[in-house]
Amino acid sequence: MASIKDVAKLAGVGLGTVSRVLNENGYVSIDARARVHAAMRQLNYTPNYSAQSLKRQKTRLVGLFVPTINHPFFSKIAQYLENRFDEKGYKLMLVCSQGNAQKENSVINLIVQNRLDGAVFITHHRHDDIAPEYPLVTLDRHLDKAIPCITSDNFDSCYRAVKYLISRGCRKVGYLGGKPKVESEVEERLSGYRAAVKSCGMEERVLFEVIGHGDEAAYVKKFFESFPDADGALISGDMLAASAYHRAVALGKRIPEDFKFVSFDGVVDSWFAGLRFTCIRQDLEKLSDAIVEQLICKIEGTDYQQMTVVPTLFEEGETT
């Protein structure tokens, strides 16, 4: 059976570093932490507290990683998840981690130490040292085939939305969306757009770059400068859509006469009173139900679904 000395030797670190990783006591660099976890997996090393966890009661505590809470989608799904987990007897620990992957690493270590039963990933950071056996569930993210991913029907809903815009008279439909920093089902929204405009023989007008939360106004300005002739758009995200609405009006465009758009998410009404967008509304209740169900399956070691796709709802508003 492998020992802590074997782990340290394979990882190329000292015994103290391995101990700090195991006990979450003191600073360890992200690189060293990743090498320690990789060595543990390669050697099939099981710390004592992991073995003992089978003999003690679960913590009934789960973590939720979100990039920021200052966003209508993340705040609303956090609210739904807190309610669902509470109904199942779990308490939720919220981690807002934009720009700080180390915060996420520290919470992941709580799972390794059995101080957290599991966690939900709604995040933009990459974590290559996550073991597939960890009790995790993601929204849109792909971490490992053994980690359940919950998502919406991104491709199909966006394909239909572009076709809808075309049916409403748009002939120069653009795509405005933020590019994920990591592999994500969100990219399927762009794929749906591209398939729809290609099927109609139309030219693509795409702005798809990595942006930070809070940078929407400058990004939207770039879209209209790049595609001044766009008469419609599929916009991936309500914050971008709200910014696009105000930018279009400032440019003298009438909505929906001169510029029509469909927004993805359908949560803007909770932040901007009086704006009723035509939208692809993600079903937050069903997404939350699926996330909670699959995470509990991972925690309890029962069968789970690797991929769960939740249908969206299409709602007509004042922007088409």
Side-chain angles (χ1 to χ4, degrees):
M1 180 179 293
S3 68
I4 190 172
K5 292 182 179 179
D6 298 321
V7 173
K9 182 178 179 180
L10 182 59
V13 299
L15 289 174
T17 298
V18 177
S19 178
R20 287 193 294 275
V21 170
L22 295 176
N23 296 301
E24 189 60 14
N25 180 20
Y27 173 77
V28 179
S29 70
I30 294 176
D31 177 67
R33 192 181 302 276
R35 284 187 279 122
V36 169
H37 285 304
M40 289 170 60
R41 292 196 299 272
Q42 185 174 335
L43 295 170
N44 198 26
Y45 174 76
T46 303
N48 288 337
Y49 50 70
S50 291
Q52 293 169 353
S53 69
L54 297 175
K55 301 177 182 179
R56 67 175 177 82
Q57 189 175 4
K58 294 291 185 181
T59 66
R60 311 299 292 182
L61 179 65
V62 297
L64 171 62
F65 299 100
V66 295
T68 176
I69 202 65
N70 188 30
H71 189 285
F73 179 79
F74 299 128
S75 62
K76 287 195 75 170
I77 198 163
Q79 180 181 358
Y80 277 106
L81 286 171
E82 194 280 329
N83 288 334
R84 294 297 190 273
F85 277 117
D86 184 67
E87 291 170 358
K88 298 293 184 179
Y90 287 86
K91 296 303 178 184
L92 193 67
M93 182 176 74
L94 182 65
V95 181
C96 300
S97 56
Q98 183 174 341
N100 191 346
Q102 183 60 36
K103 288 177 68 175
E104 295 180 1
N105 285 330
S106 65
V107 178
I108 292 170
N109 282 326
L110 297 180
I111 298 174
V112 177
Q113 297 170 18
N114 292 293
R115 292 160 64 187
L116 270 183
D117 287 350
V120 180
F121 262 72
I122 311 176
T123 176
H124 300 327
H125 293 298
R126 183 179 300 279
H127 295 277
D128 294 325
D129 61 335
I130 289 180
E133 63 268 20
Y134 287 179
L136 301 173
V137 169
T138 76
L139 178 65
D140 294 325
R141 284 283 310 278
H142 292 288
L143 293 178
D144 188 277
K145 290 183 178 179
I147 295 177
C149 174
I150 315 300
T151 190
S152 294
D153 58 340
N154 294 281
F155 181 95
D156 291 343
S157 61
C158 288
Y159 181 92
R160 293 192 298 268
V162 174
K163 287 285 195 176
Y164 169 80
L165 285 169
I166 294 170
S167 74
R168 300 290 292 173
C170 295
R171 294 297 176 263
K172 299 175 181 179
V173 182
Y175 179 89
L176 174 61
K179 183 178 181 180
K181 295 180 181 179
V182 293
E183 183 184 3
S184 171
E185 285 292 311
V186 169
E187 295 170 279
E188 289 299 300
R189 299 174 192 176
L190 175 58
S191 298
Y193 161 84
R194 283 181 160 154
V197 296
K198 182 179 180 180
S199 71
C200 297
M202 293 183 176
E203 179 184 353
E204 291 185 2
R205 291 168 171 80
V206 174
L207 186 59
F208 187 59
E209 300 173 1
V210 175
I211 61 169
H213 296 291
D215 298 334
E216 290 85 3
Y219 194 61
V220 165
K221 181 175 182 290
K222 182 177 181 179
F223 174 82
F224 283 108
E225 289 175 346
S226 300
F227 310 110
D229 62 341
D231 58 6
L234 171 63
I235 305 177
S236 181
D238 281 353
M239 295 298 279
L240 273 178
S243 186
Y245 176 91
H246 292 296
R247 183 66 185 176
V249 171
L251 290 172
K253 295 179 182 290
R254 297 171 300 160
I255 298 176
E257 291 84 0
D258 302 324
F259 183 74
K260 299 177 174 63
F261 68 84
V262 176
S263 175
F264 198 103
D265 275 344
V267 295
V268 72
D269 52 351
S270 64
W271 278 46
F272 301 101
L275 293 183
R276 197 170 68 85
F277 297 164
T278 296
C279 67
I280 300 167
R281 186 181 295 275
Q282 296 202 73
D283 194 329
L284 297 187
E285 291 192 37
K286 290 184 179 178
L287 284 171
S288 299
D289 288 342
I291 289 169
V292 172
E293 178 183 357
Q294 297 305 311
L295 183 57
I296 291 177
C297 286
K298 283 287 287 185
I299 291 171
E300 296 180 349
T302 57
D303 291 340
Y304 60 88
Q305 290 181 269
Q306 196 278 322
M307 176 71 77
T308 303
V309 179
V310 176
T312 54
L313 308 170
F314 185 81
E315 297 181 1
E316 289 185 294
E318 300 169 359
T319 60
T320 55

